[in-house]
């Protein structure tokens, strides 16, 4: 009886490996979509933060972070295919970081949030 079980377990790993490979492929496709989602408007005004020289920051690109203007991992857990913008502060100073995600100078606010499309957009929606 023990030997019958042994044969079963010997055969299982090959089938399991094939299924596992298929599962990993679909898992990758789900968590890392080829076509990234659009960024959404998190807020319509920039957030002023004091950056510390030499420190690295991860600015939220997807607009889904609850820790604006910085990344909280939502881009990954919501399977957006987007990544945060990593940058290193060159000097210690207070800056306005974009939260509307429409700036042309990421991560800094360039005033685009004052434009009509951003002002008319709903929070949490893409432009
Ligand atoms: S908050 Fe995005 S451009 Fe000002």
């Amino acid at each position: 009886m023990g030997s019958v079980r042994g044969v079963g377990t010997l055969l299982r790993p090959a089938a399991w490996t094939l299924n596992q490979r298929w599962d990993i492929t679909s898992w990758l496709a789900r968590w890392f979509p080829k076509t990234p989602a659009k960024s959404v408007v998190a807020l319509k005004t920039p957030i002023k933060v004091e950056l510390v020289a030499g420190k690295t920051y991860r600015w939220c690109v997807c607009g889904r972070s609850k820790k604006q203007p910085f990344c909280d991992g939502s881009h990954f857990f919501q399977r957006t295919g987007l990544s945060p913008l990593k940058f290193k502060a060159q000097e210690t100073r207070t800056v306005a970081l974009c939260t509307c995600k429409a700036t042309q100078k990421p991560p800094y606010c360039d005033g685009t949030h004052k434009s009509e499309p951003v002002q008319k957009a709903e929070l949490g929606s893409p432009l």
Side-chain angles (χ1 to χ4, degrees):
M1 282 192 260
S3 63
V4 172
R5 244 187 191 172
V7 169
T9 31
L10 279 177
L11 294 175
R12 242 181 250 139
W16 183 83
T17 304
L18 284 175
N19 286 338
Q20 193 69 10
R21 239 181 237 150
W22 185 85
D23 284 342
I24 286 172
T25 306
S26 70
W27 182 89
L28 284 173
R30 251 193 329 185
W31 286 88
F32 302 98
K34 284 181 183 161
T35 310
K38 285 187 171 184
S39 297
V40 298
V41 177
L43 297 169
K44 296 180 183 180
T45 52
I47 293 180
K48 284 187 179 175
V49 292
E50 184 175 306
L51 302 179
V52 178
K55 192 173 173 189
T56 301
Y57 299 88
R58 295 182 342 132
W59 178 71
C60 168
V61 167
C62 72
R64 291 156 175 88
S65 171
K66 300 293 181 224
K67 292 183 181 175
Q68 291 296 326
F70 300 113
C71 173
D72 70 354
S74 294
H75 67 278
F76 179 74
F77 295 110
Q78 293 185 33
R79 303 171 188 172
T80 63
L82 297 168
S83 301
L85 174 70
K86 205 169 152 184
F87 69 100
K88 193 173 188 175
Q90 299 302 312
E91 56 182 312
T92 299
R93 66 182 176 127
T94 302
V95 296
L97 295 182
C98 173
T99 60
C100 74
K101 311 305 171 188
T103 181
Q104 298 300 304
K105 296 179 181 176
Y108 306 104
C109 171
D110 67 355
T112 306
H113 64 272
K114 295 175 189 163
S115 69
E116 201 177 314
V118 175
Q119 288 301 314
K120 282 188 172 178
E122 282 193 35
L123 295 182
S125 303
L127 286 180

